[in-house]
């Protein structure tokens, strides 16, 4: 019986495979499990090591938070979330403050979210932060033992004449294994999705941005000034084609993300230093007079020089805005596999979790309805809705990437445009003509009073 609706399926449930145990895949598996629909998740990683996986996330009320609530995991989320982690400060390279948002106060000890519904609502609306690794732990541990088959690296999906003849070819312990017989295969396998490769020739495009991730342990003693500036939240330094972001993680560690515009997709081969070597990278970034961040404020130098333990170079990729594929019975995509974006809008994981929520609803309705073609119709309806929804977010992300990483001049000249785009994304269409004049007027007056 469906624990959410109380209905009994009209027919035996379909056999479903999810490729990838990331947020979208595990959320979908959790929702289907609650509905009494068995599912198998295949994950290439050998085990759930919950390693540090980048920075922090803020889940939005009507997307990520809504999915967690539907999955019965909101209280688990509150146990790990940081209610005072939404402090945000954006500055220029000289540490002049451009935007500052005060963090939300932590809940009082007397306010128990599990017993006080008003407290639970207030905390959700504050959009508290959570580490990526903590979110993954919550989702994977919510699934019955054996749901996730670890160490199954998908090599390719061979499409057959019908859904049950589709062949999933895995590498497991250096041996090839093939799985068939699924009514639905769902690709939640990220940027370089093998499932997407079976549906489309479209590959991710280079976004023109390189990135380096570092980490500062025990920052209160190793980098006290920087630690105070981050204030349990986020410090964004913005320059012309450059960005340095410092975020506090749940264990107190500061994660440093260094981004820069570069036309060379293979910049790690041509940069002249080993971008995986921390000491070499620190020296190159701050080298006088031509290091990327040589002329930045000493606070940002501290963010680079106090880093320890890791130095992870990346290149950012994206799928084209409006990417779609020809519908194929028995196969679909969610999350980055369906709509890979850069992180500059902060919407990626929320869109992925909403994908899981909406696809689960379609599958559950199809199983309860009992029609022979109900599952395929439900998946097709999901894809049509998701394509439209994701296109809107992808366009916003693309525009913000261009503003933040490719605009010329002082950040003060382009921040109003970025804020206007955020505002348009959240207000009704009939108010869109007012967004740009409002934000530009606000920042004009703000700058006047600061002089």
């Amino acid at each position: 019986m469906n624990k959410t609706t109380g209905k009994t399926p009209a027919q035996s449930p379909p056999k479903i495979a999810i490729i990838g145990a990331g947020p979208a895949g595990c959320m979908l598996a959790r929702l289907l499990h609650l509905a009494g629909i068995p599912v198998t998740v295949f994950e290439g990683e050998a085990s759930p090591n919950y390693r540090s996986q980048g920075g922090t996330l803020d889940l939005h009320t009507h997307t990520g938070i809504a999915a967690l609530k539907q999955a019965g995991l909101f209280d688990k989320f509150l146990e790990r979330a940081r209610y005072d982690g939404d402090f945000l400060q954006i500055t220029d390279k000289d540490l002049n403050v451009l935007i500052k948002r005060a963090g939300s106060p932590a809940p009082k000890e007397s306010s128990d979210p599990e017993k006080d519904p008003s407290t639970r609502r207030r905390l959700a609306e504050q959009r508290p932060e959570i580490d990526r690794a903590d979110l993954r732990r919550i989702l994977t541990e919510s699934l019955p033992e054996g749901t996730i088959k670890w160490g199954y690296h998908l090599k390719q999906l061979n499409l057959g004449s019908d859904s049950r003849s589709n062949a999933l070819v895995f590498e497991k312990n250096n041996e090839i294994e093939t799985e068939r017989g699924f009514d639905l295969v769902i690709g939640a396998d990220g940027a370089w999705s093998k499932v997407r490769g079976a549906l489309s020739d479209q590959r991710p495009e280079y976004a023109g941005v390189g990135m380096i991730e570092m980490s500062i342990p025990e920052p209160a003693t190793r980098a006290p000034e920087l630690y105070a500036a981050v204030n349990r939240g986020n410090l964004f330094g913005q320059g012309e084609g450059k960005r340095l972001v410092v975020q506090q993680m749940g264990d107190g560690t500061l994660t440093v993300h260094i981004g820069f515009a570069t036309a060379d997709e293979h910049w790690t081969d041509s940069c002249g230093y080993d971008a995986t070597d921390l000491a070499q990278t620190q020296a190159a970034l701050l080298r006088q007079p031509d290091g990327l961040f040589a002329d930045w404020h000493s606070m940002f130098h501290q963010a680079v020089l106090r880093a320890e333990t890791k130095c992870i170079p990346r290149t950012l990729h994206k799928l084209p805005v409006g990417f779609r594929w020809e519908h194929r019975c028995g196969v679909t995509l969610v999350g980055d596999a369906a709509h890979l974006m850069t992180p500059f809008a902060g919407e990626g994981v929320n869109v992925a979790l909403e994908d899981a929520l909406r696809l689960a609803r379609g599958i559950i309705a199809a199983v309860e309805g009992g029609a022979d073609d109900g599952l395929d119709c439900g998946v097709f309806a999901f894809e049509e809705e998701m394509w439209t929804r994701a296109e809107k977010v992808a366009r916003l992300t693309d525009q913000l990437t261009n503003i933040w990483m490719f605009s010329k001049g002082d950040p003060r000249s382009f921040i109003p445009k970025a804020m206007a785009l955020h505002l348009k994304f959240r207000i009704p269409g009939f108010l869109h003509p007012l967004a740009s004049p409002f934000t530009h007027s606000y920042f004009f007056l703000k700058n006047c009073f600061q002089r």
Side-chain angles (χ1 to χ4, degrees):
M1 177 178 290
N2 186 330
K3 297 178 182 179
T4 304
T5 66
K7 296 181 180 179
T8 301
Q11 61 181 20
S12 60
K15 189 177 179 183
I16 296 175
I18 297 173
I19 312 302
C26 286
M27 175 59 77
L28 179 57
R30 167 70 177 181
L31 294 167
L32 294 178
H33 163 67
L34 292 179
I37 300 173
V39 61
T40 302
V41 181
F42 294 94
E43 169 57 45
E45 292 186 1
S47 62
N49 55 23
Y50 307 122
R51 69 195 186 284
S52 176
Q53 299 177 330
T56 66
L57 303 166
D58 66 299
L59 302 188
H60 303 169
T61 303
H62 301 296
T63 51
I65 293 294
L68 283 168
K69 289 182 175 180
Q70 189 68 37
L73 299 174
F74 184 57
D75 289 336
K76 290 288 185 183
F77 167 76
L78 291 179
E79 291 173 8
R80 295 277 185 173
R82 298 190 306 284
Y83 318 110
D84 55 349
D86 57 349
F87 172 82
L88 171 67
Q89 187 168 218
I90 301 178
T91 76
D92 63 15
K93 69 183 183 65
D94 298 315
L95 209 65
N96 297 309
V97 177
L98 307 176
I99 296 176
K100 189 172 184 177
R101 182 184 71 199
S104 304
K108 299 178 180 178
E109 292 185 2
S110 59
S111 299
D112 185 347
E114 295 186 7
K115 298 178 180 179
D116 184 356
S118 64
T119 299
R120 295 172 84 249
R121 287 193 299 272
R122 176 174 59 82
L123 294 179
E125 292 167 358
Q126 288 176 357
R127 291 165 62 166
E129 299 275 335
I130 187 169
D131 292 4
R132 288 177 182 272
D134 286 340
L135 178 62
R136 190 184 192 195
R137 180 187 294 274
I138 290 169
L139 290 168
T140 56
E141 293 183 352
S142 74
L143 299 174
E145 186 175 353
T147 299
I148 302 176
K149 300 182 74 169
W150 299 98
Y152 279 76
H153 179 68
L154 183 66
K155 303 297 289 183
Q156 64 187 61
L157 168 60
N158 296 324
L159 299 176
S161 58
D162 56 50
S163 59
R164 290 232 163 190
S165 62
N166 292 335
L168 293 163
V169 182
F170 295 99
E171 182 179 343
K172 168 70 172 175
N173 295 328
N174 296 318
E175 295 183 357
I176 298 298
E177 296 187 18
T178 301
E179 299 270 353
R180 290 186 177 86
F182 293 100
D183 297 291
L184 179 61
V185 173
I186 301 162
D189 47 342
W192 304 100
S193 169
K194 293 293 196 299
V195 179
R196 182 179 64 236
L199 296 174
S200 170
D201 293 331
Q202 179 67 57
R203 290 177 56 82
E205 302 171 346
Y206 176 52
V209 179
M211 186 169 285
I212 301 171
E213 180 184 340
M214 300 178 176
S215 180
I216 305 175
E218 301 179 356
T221 54
R222 288 188 53 79
E225 292 181 8
L226 179 64
Y227 178 74
V230 173
N231 192 25
R232 302 182 302 277
N234 307 270
L235 171 65
F236 286 66
Q238 183 66 47
E240 185 177 303
K242 305 172 192 176
R243 167 177 275 198
L244 196 155
V245 180
V246 188
Q247 295 181 312
Q248 182 164 325
M249 308 299 288
D251 63 358
T253 299
L254 296 182
T255 293
V256 181
H257 293 280
I258 298 165
F260 46 90
T262 172
D264 185 1
E265 182 176 2
H266 305 289
W267 66 269
T268 54
D269 297 327
S270 60
C271 63
Y273 59 91
D274 181 355
T276 65
D277 183 286
L278 181 59
Q280 287 189 41
T281 302
Q282 289 169 322
L285 291 175
L286 303 182
R287 182 181 58 236
Q288 297 291 344
D290 59 344
L292 281 175
F293 294 87
D295 62 342
W296 282 46
H297 192 277
S298 60
M299 183 78 74
F300 297 113
H301 286 198
Q302 189 178 136
V304 175
L305 292 172
R306 296 293 185 270
E308 286 188 358
T309 68
K310 68 179 179 180
C311 186
I312 305 172
R314 295 189 174 93
T315 53
L316 299 188
H317 292 80
K318 62 179 182 177
L319 287 169
V321 174
F323 166 67
R324 301 185 177 206
W325 59 91
E326 184 177 348
H327 172 73
R328 173 86 184 200
C329 180
V331 186
T332 194
L333 305 171
V334 294
D336 284 350
H339 40 67
L340 177 66
M341 309 172 199
T342 67
F344 294 102
E347 296 285 347
V349 73
N350 287 286
V351 182
L353 293 176
E354 187 173 8
D355 289 349
L357 178 60
R358 290 177 178 268
L359 179 54
R361 287 173 177 167
I363 294 171
I364 293 167
V367 172
E368 292 175 346
D372 291 341
D373 62 349
L375 180 62
D376 186 49
C377 291
V379 170
F380 181 66
F382 157 76
E383 289 174 343
E384 289 283 316
E385 183 280 329
M386 183 265 292
W387 287 329
T388 301
R389 173 169 47 85
E391 181 176 351
K392 179 182 177 182
V393 182
R395 180 167 289 106
L396 169 69
T397 303
D398 217 36
Q399 292 171 327
L400 289 171
T401 302
N402 288 330
I403 290 173
W404 290 121
M405 300 310 299
F406 301 103
S407 294
K408 302 295 184 182
D410 190 312
R412 286 183 182 83
S413 67
F414 52 80
I415 276 184
K417 186 176 180 181
M419 295 302 104
L421 287 173
H422 278 291
L423 184 59
K424 284 181 180 179
F425 185 73
R426 288 169 172 79
I427 62 176
F430 71 90
L431 293 176
H432 285 187
L434 301 178
S436 184
F438 173 80
T439 53
H440 281 79
S441 298
Y442 168 80
F443 281 100
F444 174 77
L445 294 173
K446 180 175 179 290
N447 291 334
C448 287
F449 284 113
Q450 286 181 340
R451 290 172 183 169

